[in-house]
Amino acid sequence: MFTWEGNKMQGAQAIAAHVQGLPFTQVAHQIVTMDCQPTSGNGVLVMVCGNLKVDQEPNPIKYSQTFVLLPTAAGGWYVQNGK
């Protein structure tokens, strides 16, 4: 599930199509805060807030993102869900 300005998209194909259709050519992420909490199943709840610097716009766009990371059997991590 992905929400952008009140519009919800679900599934990788729908999200990718929306992101590719945005009018931006350059986006730089500036992470301001990141908080992590342990979850069941040895996972990690990650909450990120920051700024997006889009193209040559002087004012950044504020953003927040919350997702859960779960460990893989191979020793890596995967995003279980992202909101």
Side-chain angles (χ1 to χ4, degrees):
M1 175 65 74
F2 177 73
T3 303
W4 178 272
E5 296 180 346
N7 298 316
K8 295 180 180 181
M9 289 134 272
Q10 187 163 355
Q13 203 169 32
I15 293 168
H18 179 78
V19 171
Q20 291 171 352
L22 293 172
F24 313 144
T25 57
Q26 294 180 332
V27 178
H29 293 75
Q30 176 191 27
I31 295 174
V32 176
T33 62
M34 180 173 59
D35 295 306
C36 302
Q37 299 295 325
T39 68
S40 61
N42 296 318
V44 180
L45 174 67
V46 182
M47 296 155 286
V48 181
C49 293
N51 300 308
L52 298 175
K53 177 89 166 135
V54 178
D55 294 331
Q56 301 303 317
E57 290 293 323
N59 299 317
I61 299 169
K62 304 291 184 186
Y63 80 94
S64 65
Q65 185 173 11
T66 303
F67 54 94
V68 175
L69 296 174
L70 288 178
T72 67
W77 297 88
Y78 73 96
V79 177
Q80 180 194 31
N81 67 329
K83 300 248 178 201

